Amino acid sequence: MPELDSVMLSRLLTAMTLGFHIIFATLGVGVPLLISGAEWIGIRRKDEHYRLLARRWTRGFVVTVAVGVVTGTCIGLQLSLLWPSFMEVAGQVIGLPLFLETFAFFFEAIFLGIYLYTWDRFKNPYYHWLISVPVVIGSTASAFFISTVNAFMNAPTGFELKNGEIVDIQPLVAMFNPATPTKASHVISTAYMTAAFVLAAITAFLILRKGKSEYYKKALHFTMLTGFVFAIATAIIGDFSGKYLAEYQPEKLAAAEWHFETEKGADLIVGGVLNEDGEVEHELRIPNALSILAHADPNSEVIGLEEFPEDETAPLFIHYLFDVMVGIGMFLVFLSGLYLLFVKWRKGNPYWRPLLWTIVASGPLAILAIEAGWIFSEVGRQPWVLWHMMKTSEGATTSEHVGQMFILFAALYILLGTICTTVLLKMFRKNPAETEFEQMKKR
Amino acid sequence: MEIQLLGITVLWIFLYGYLIVASIDFGAGFFAYYGRITKKDHIINNIISRYLSPVWEVTNVFFVFFFVGLVGFFPSTAYYYGTALLVPGSIGLVLLAIRGSFYAFGNYGAKDSNLYMFLYGATGLLIPASLSTALTISEGGFMVEEGGTVVFLVKELFTSFYSWSVVFLAIVSVLYISSMFLTFYASKAKDLPALELLRKYALFWSPPTILASFLVFMSLKNHNPEHFQNMLDYSYLFMLSLFCFLTAVWLVYRKVRYGTAFLFVMLQFFFAFFGYGVSHLPYILYPYITLDTGFTNETMGIALVIAFIAGLFLLIPSLYLIMKMFLFDAKYVQGDRVK
């Protein structure tokens, strides 16, 4: 067992804050796109159902945004509080995207405020819809900028270290480092995908409970279609990410895949466990698939873990996380594809109860995949905080109070999580869609 | 202008912006709760929530902007402040998190919860106290660097007269700024009962504010004589500040021109805040970080300034838009468009 020193505690506290924050951050990036889309369809087709959908989603969204904002503020400051030495070095190189991220956030905050309080203020309904556009742009842009910071930690470029001094800084090179394209696009597309499946899950649950009204049918179709599009996009980007890892971070890929020896035509290992001798048991092997994932060539050579010093590779449990992430991703493509097939195919019943129950499960599963993917990505670059430049242990605070702070924040997140859930449930139970639709028609 | 100076000026402007908007917000939370327990909530709470609902998130961004900018322009502040402020910073964060999320829970979700109101009101006074610690520390004397690590002298901070006078100033000026603003907002809404009540609060909190300012002056003289001497060189700024204070209070007392009065409140804090800031230079954190030693590299400095200017082109029209819709739109302010 690793000892609970301030380095370990700082890691745990950062992991806890991020783990809690990304649930709300992912929804914060994804849901505005769906709200904006629903409102646009509603106006264009003069379909009050879609406009009500946008309204109701927005109302729930504000509550999650609040938690996202406050936990985002927490992680923003914790970077400096828990990793002062790291921030002193990295701040000089990645100050720009961090700064830009707050601009994007600012932009989003202003227009979200306006959007919320101007539903019936304009004669032309498109004006109100237009206000949602900066909200979508702002939230996506902030996801992009913050992903470039994380990408930089995986592929630090745009500066040189000479005798411990940072010289030759190029902020744009640091921002658009080799990891940026795959990382940022993966983060954004999974956020859109996850938001779609979470909303689809809620809708499916309500159909199961209350039967299928026009309103719910439209909601389910809209979310599942969006979910399908972004699940496919995520799969394609995921494949690029694999190729990125093979080229730039081969030890991360090798640890994720339990690929110990460098070889040509490498197998992809699915599932399995490691026994005490470090051998893989009970696994499913897909011949040559790892070579395809790494280099798009079934006979290409994939570098194994043996090539790296043992104290510079990540813990091997990340294999499970990788499998969870990819497995759920594949499952979501399949599930949404099946739903669409049932819609198109005349004999299919898209409201078949087992299918609906599976859709209910897809929301939490998508969130689980987000968590697994992030833990895989972050733990996979251990022991480095700056890849091949600065070890995590060199960046942490020396304060003795991290343990107490961990407990303080754990209590905070439990409190926020519980009350947020209660408030959301109460909000929608008290005011069902049917009554609201009737009220809307009267106006 | 040197780029370092430009950098710190940008940050100082944002901190000033936060000071004003956050004070309004923090104080409003307190008054809303106070109104509830004194059974006056029906008079003032509509005014308060009409203003706060669309802007609370924007207020929070001012704060994020400041600390991200500070680390960007002056990365070594992350090292010193980061190590020293772990405990007070974390407590401040938890309070901010409770306040922000409970505002949303209360206003968009479960309405009329006394507990949520209490949390919202109480944190509004504790946050300025905990955030002002950062400014207190910047005067030096509360941390030492020993054997490569920074040690925060908690006991010194808690027993210092200077630090308590700053806390006192932070709390009373929050209540003063907020009540002055809400008085103006109520007058715009033509809500006479609310105006009468808030005007009383504003007049009540004005003497403690000026008293606290003098206390901070006096205690700084003992704590950091060098800074105090520098302040005397800029004494005209503090005189201007005093003049603005007297004008603002006089206008409110005479029940005329509440908008102008609030403008003078903003000027009062502008002069005092910039007088304090400019006399603090060249130190960012006395005596460890100065404007020159703490500044990031030239390239990043320029990139940040460019990003800042580009960002302003986006922000200023947007801020204007939100103010036009919720602050200067008579119909909205009077409650006609609240749905």
Side-chain angles (χ1 to χ4, degrees):
Chain A
M1 268 300 276
E3 140 189 44
L4 278 183
D5 53 4
S6 60
V7 177
M8 194 60 198
L9 284 166
S10 296
R11 287 180 60 192
L12 289 174
L13 178 49
T14 311
M16 178 172 68
T17 302
L18 273 175
F20 189 69
H21 174 65
I22 55 173
I23 299 173
F24 299 92
T26 304
L27 295 175
V29 174
V31 174
L33 182 82
L34 281 117
I35 292 174
S36 180
E39 194 187 7
W40 186 69
I41 296 175
I43 299 171
R44 220 175 68 115
R45 295 191 193 157
K46 296 202 169 41
D47 187 333
E48 291 300 312
H49 281 132
Y50 276 98
R51 299 181 72 184
L52 180 64
L53 208 53
R55 269 187 195 238
R56 287 177 68 83
W57 281 343
T58 306
R59 219 172 301 136
F61 176 67
V62 188
V63 172
T64 60
V65 156
V67 181
V69 167
V70 297
T71 52
T73 310
C74 288
I75 189 64
L77 253 180
Q78 276 179 358
L79 277 182
S80 297
L81 295 176
L82 295 173
W83 309 96
S85 312
F86 160 72
M87 281 305 278
E88 193 186 11
V89 174
Q92 299 187 45
V93 194
I94 47 164
L96 182 67
L98 272 176
F99 198 57
L100 287 173
E101 197 262 351
T102 56
F103 265 118
F105 175 35
F106 216 143
F107 193 56
E108 181 198 345
I110 290 174
F111 282 94
L112 185 65
I114 301 179
Y115 186 76
L116 288 177
Y117 288 88
T118 51
W119 281 99
D120 299 308
R121 197 149 154 183
F122 306 106
K123 279 210 178 80
N124 183 342
Y126 279 106
Y127 286 168
H128 182 257
W129 172 76
L130 270 178
I131 293 166
S132 74
V133 177
V135 179
V136 176
I137 294 175
S139 60
T140 303
S142 69
F144 171 79
F145 289 125
I146 209 66
S147 304
T148 69
V149 175
N150 186 271
F152 170 82
M153 291 156 83
N154 281 283
T157 43
F159 70 104
E160 269 180 62
L161 269 180
K162 276 187 188 146
N163 311 324
E165 292 276 305
I166 298 178
V167 289
D168 289 335
I169 294 174
Q170 298 166 282
L172 288 177
V173 176
M175 200 168 133
F176 293 97
N177 59 71
T180 293
T182 44
K183 191 135 238 164
S185 54
H186 194 68
V187 165
I188 293 168
S189 86
T190 49
Y192 291 160
M193 176 190 87
T194 303
F197 281 106
V198 167
L199 296 174
I202 297 171
T203 313
F205 183 73
L206 290 170
I207 295 178
L208 282 163
R209 289 280 297 273
K210 300 182 175 177
K212 45 179 202 283
S213 68
E214 270 309 294
Y215 173 76
Y216 290 129
K217 276 182 173 176
K218 285 173 186 167
L220 189 68
H221 192 71
F222 179 59
T223 48
M224 286 306 274
L225 187 65
T226 317
F228 179 72
V229 170
F230 288 105
I232 297 275
T234 302
I236 296 169
I237 297 162
D239 182 59
F240 283 120
S241 306
K243 294 182 172 42
Y244 164 80
L245 285 182
E247 189 171 345
Y248 290 93
Q249 293 181 309
E251 63 263 54
K252 192 171 180 178
L253 185 67
E257 271 311 314
W258 290 346
H259 184 64
F260 301 108
E261 287 159 25
T262 303
E263 60 179 354
K264 286 183 178 166
D267 298 349
L268 186 75
I269 295 176
V270 178
V273 283
L274 273 186
N275 69 14
E276 279 164 14
D277 308 323
E279 284 159 8
V280 186
E281 286 177 350
H282 311 300
E283 81 282 18
L284 178 75
R285 280 180 182 267
I286 307 175
N288 299 48
L290 186 59
S291 286
I292 297 175
L293 178 71
H295 303 290
D297 170 4
N299 293 314
S300 60
E301 187 180 78
V302 182
I303 299 170
L305 270 181
E306 60 178 8
E307 314 263 337
F308 303 96
E310 216 163 286
D311 61 340
E312 288 187 9
T313 54
L316 291 171
F317 75 80
I318 62 169
H319 172 72
Y320 302 114
L321 299 166
F322 187 78
D323 277 5
V324 167
M325 168 182 80
V326 176
I328 293 176
M330 292 295 168
F331 167 75
L332 293 177
V333 172
F334 171 77
L335 175 68
S336 47
L338 191 70
Y339 166 84
L340 291 176
L341 197 73
F342 275 25
V343 172
K344 290 277 169 221
W345 181 38
R346 230 190 290 162
K347 281 184 199 159
N349 174 14
Y351 310 104
W352 187 44
R353 291 181 76 86
L355 182 72
L356 287 177
W357 277 116
T358 321
I359 295 174
V360 173
S362 75
L365 281 175
I367 301 267
L368 183 68
I370 294 277
E371 295 281 353
W374 269 114
I375 302 172
F376 156 66
S377 173
E378 298 303 289
V379 177
R381 74 179 144 94
Q382 294 308 318
W384 305 102
V385 64
L386 280 178
W387 189 252
H388 290 183
M389 292 220 175
M390 185 189 229
K391 289 209 168 159
T392 309
S393 53
E394 298 161 350
T397 181
T398 45
S399 171
E400 293 153 11
H401 302 289
V402 188
Q404 286 105 305
M405 296 305 113
F406 182 87
I407 297 168
L408 181 73
F409 280 99
L412 173 73
Y413 301 143
I414 293 171
L415 179 81
L416 291 185
T418 321
I419 298 189
C420 179
T421 319
T422 331
V423 166
L424 281 175
L425 286 177
K426 221 165 125 188
M427 217 161 119
F428 288 98
R429 276 205 193 124
K430 229 173 35 187
N431 183 11
E434 298 75 24
T435 21
E436 200 178 347
F437 189 68
E438 289 306 313
Q439 286 165 357
M440 214 169 139
K441 273 200 295 196
K442 274 182 209 149
R443 254 190 266 130
Chain B
M1 198 196 272
E2 272 182 316
I3 193 148
Q4 290 92 314
L5 198 57
L6 191 65
I8 196 74
T9 311
V10 164
L11 293 175
W12 208 241
I13 290 172
F14 267 90
L15 197 57
Y16 169 74
Y18 183 64
L19 175 97
I20 298 292
V21 290
S23 293
I24 295 175
D25 185 325
F26 292 148
F30 175 79
F31 289 127
Y33 180 68
Y34 182 75
R36 174 69 65 91
I37 53 171
T38 53
K39 303 258 183 300
K40 283 173 183 158
D41 42 345
H42 57 284
I43 307 179
I44 50 174
N45 285 17
N46 274 338
I47 288 283
I48 290 176
S49 77
R50 215 176 293 153
Y51 165 75
L52 282 184
S53 299
V55 299
W56 71 270
E57 212 191 336
V58 178
T59 306
N60 199 56
V61 189
F62 269 95
F63 176 58
V64 177
F65 209 101
F66 172 74
F67 72 71
V68 171
L70 186 69
V71 175
F73 278 107
F74 301 93
S76 48
T77 54
Y79 176 68
Y80 285 96
Y81 272 119
T83 314
L85 285 176
L86 179 68
V87 177
S90 297
I91 293 172
L93 272 180
V94 168
L95 293 172
L96 269 178
I98 289 179
R99 188 181 154 80
S101 46
F102 276 78
Y103 180 77
F105 296 160
N107 267 270
Y108 306 112
K111 285 220 163 39
D112 287 331
S113 159
N114 270 328
L115 176 69
Y116 291 6
M117 283 284 265
F118 169 73
L119 286 173
Y120 184 61
T123 49
L125 292 188
L126 294 174
I127 294 167
S130 78
L131 292 185
S132 62
T133 319
L135 279 184
T136 312
I137 288 177
S138 78
E139 291 298 337
F142 301 111
M143 63 166 90
V144 283
E145 204 174 6
E146 272 172 4
T149 63
V150 177
V151 181
F152 179 40
L153 309 170
V154 184
K155 207 182 133 227
E156 304 284 321
L157 186 76
F158 274 100
T159 53
S160 150
F161 182 64
Y162 174 68
S163 79
W164 285 108
S165 61
V166 172
V167 167
F168 180 51
L169 176 64
I171 293 175
V172 291
S173 49
V174 156
L175 294 171
Y176 167 71
I177 294 174
S178 183
S179 52
M180 284 297 229
F181 174 80
L182 291 170
T183 304
F184 154 64
Y185 203 68
S187 78
K188 258 198 99 81
K190 299 200 171 59
D191 185 340
L192 290 179
L195 172 66
E196 202 34 55
L197 189 62
L198 288 161
R199 182 177 158 269
K200 270 191 201 135
Y201 294 161
L203 292 175
F204 179 82
W205 287 107
S206 52
T209 305
I210 215 69
L211 178 75
S213 312
F214 279 115
L215 269 184
V216 170
F217 255 113
M218 290 303 120
S219 50
L220 186 66
K221 190 179 175 183
N222 288 325
H223 187 80
N224 185 341
E226 195 182 331
H227 186 188
F228 184 76
Q229 274 307 315
N230 286 339
M231 272 173 128
L232 292 184
D233 296 342
Y234 292 98
S235 50
Y236 66 95
L237 287 173
F238 297 101
M239 296 312 284
L240 272 172
S241 172
L242 184 65
F243 168 76
C244 293
F245 166 78
L246 293 172
T247 314
V249 174
W250 185 70
L251 288 172
V252 171
Y253 180 73
R254 295 275 317 272
K255 301 189 184 181
V256 288
R257 307 186 74 103
Y258 294 109
T260 320
F262 186 68
L263 209 64
F264 273 100
V265 171
M266 283 173 69
L267 285 173
Q268 172 199 341
F269 280 88
F270 182 86
F271 289 126
F273 196 67
F274 278 78
Y276 171 83
V278 73
S279 56
H280 198 286
L281 293 179
Y283 292 104
I284 307 281
L285 174 61
Y286 184 86
Y288 296 103
I289 309 174
T290 67
L291 211 51
D292 292 320
T293 59
F295 196 65
T296 187
N297 57 86
E298 185 90 18
T299 331
M300 183 53 79
I302 293 170
L304 287 177
V305 168
I306 294 173
F308 177 73
I309 293 167
L312 280 189
F313 275 101
L314 205 67
L315 280 190
I316 290 174
S318 323
L319 277 173
Y320 172 75
L321 187 67
I322 198 171
M323 297 225 298
K324 192 169 166 259
M325 293 184 123
F326 299 112
L327 205 54
F328 301 117
D329 184 288
K331 273 191 184 157
Y332 175 81
V333 178
Q334 288 166 20
D336 281 1
R337 280 175 168 172
V338 186
K339 283 214 173 100

